[in-house]
Amino acid sequence: MQEGSRTLVLGSTSRYRRELLQRLGVPFDVAAPEVDETPLAGERPAELAKRLALAKARAVAARFPQAVVIGSDQVADLDGESLGKPGNHDNAVAQLNRMSGKSVIFQTALAVVCAETGFEQLDLAAVRVQFRRLGAEEIEAYLRKEEPYDCAGSAKSEGLGIALLEAIDNDDPTALVGLPLIRTCRMIRAAGVKVL
């Protein structure tokens, strides 16, 4: 840790978020947020992502009050319906069939909290992804090769999943992978963590 900089904790067990945060070269710890991720009745995808990101950051900050804690959550938004992690092959096939030829918004929420100072910020990166029309054989081949069952929307744009897409439109290139690093840098600096 650099002098004058607060300890940073990633409130997530996602290996994707951990790998992204490592890019910044800032030392950090990882803690499981232990938050119920069940959507509330009628909750829109963006609101679900924001609520969960903040709940994760607050839960971990309660255990590490002096640290700056990052919480994040991503929800795929298909015509206003939340699509989470498929969890298995059959669910992934169903998700990709539904998203075939459609525009999906991946809502990636980011919360940064420091309980000791009262610092709390929340932001949302909305990434519009246009899926190609996908055939059953393509979907099956992709899923067998990449097994993206732990990814919202069943596709990894940072891997072979890019072949399923026609376009990605966003303002924070790592947001689709699960942690918008431009926003992360801005928010953790504001909370007292030195990035450079």
Side-chain angles (χ1 to χ4, degrees):
M1 182 172 67
Q2 300 172 29
E3 186 179 334
S5 185
R6 287 192 170 271
T7 301
L8 185 63
V9 177
L10 176 61
S12 174
T13 56
S14 164
R15 70 178 192 265
Y16 308 110
R17 290 190 180 102
R18 187 170 51 250
E19 289 168 3
L20 286 170
L21 192 55
Q22 286 171 341
R23 291 184 188 182
L24 301 182
V26 176
F28 65 93
D29 295 318
V30 176
E34 300 173 12
V35 168
D36 180 0
E37 298 190 28
T38 306
L40 302 175
E43 191 170 32
R44 306 282 298 162
E47 296 309 312
L48 172 61
K50 289 190 296 186
R51 179 178 62 80
L52 292 178
L54 190 55
K56 291 174 183 181
R58 286 175 174 167
V60 173
R63 297 187 339 243
F64 302 94
Q66 296 179 328
V68 171
V69 178
I70 297 170
S72 186
D73 195 77
Q74 184 177 74
V75 178
D77 179 344
L78 177 61
D79 300 325
E81 180 186 342
S82 297
L83 300 179
K85 299 171 187 171
N88 62 50
H89 185 82
D90 291 341
N91 290 343
V93 168
Q95 281 189 354
L96 289 173
N97 275 318
R98 290 188 61 208
M99 295 185 299
S100 176
K102 295 189 177 172
S103 180
V104 179
I105 300 171
F106 286 79
Q107 307 282 5
T108 305
L110 173 69
V112 174
V113 172
C114 180
E116 184 178 71
T117 64
F119 182 89
E120 192 170 280
Q121 281 189 4
L122 178 65
D123 203 351
L124 183 72
V127 181
R128 183 173 299 280
V129 175
Q130 180 62 47
F131 280 80
R132 293 186 307 101
R133 292 215 180 273
L134 305 172
E137 288 181 13
E138 283 181 301
I139 290 172
E140 190 65 26
Y142 168 67
L143 293 176
R144 293 293 177 200
K145 287 179 183 174
E146 196 148 71
E147 299 182 352
Y149 308 132
D150 61 346
C151 297
S154 305
K156 292 187 198 176
S157 66
E158 69 275 23
L160 182 58
I162 200 75
L164 305 176
L165 311 179
E166 285 186 358
I168 298 173
D169 182 22
N170 69 28
D171 66 352
D172 204 332
T174 58
L176 188 54
V177 182
L179 188 66
L181 287 180
I182 293 172
R183 286 168 172 82
T184 299
C185 287
R186 181 181 70 237
M187 292 166 70
I188 65 174
R189 278 194 304 263
V193 174
K194 293 183 180 178
V195 178
L196 291 173

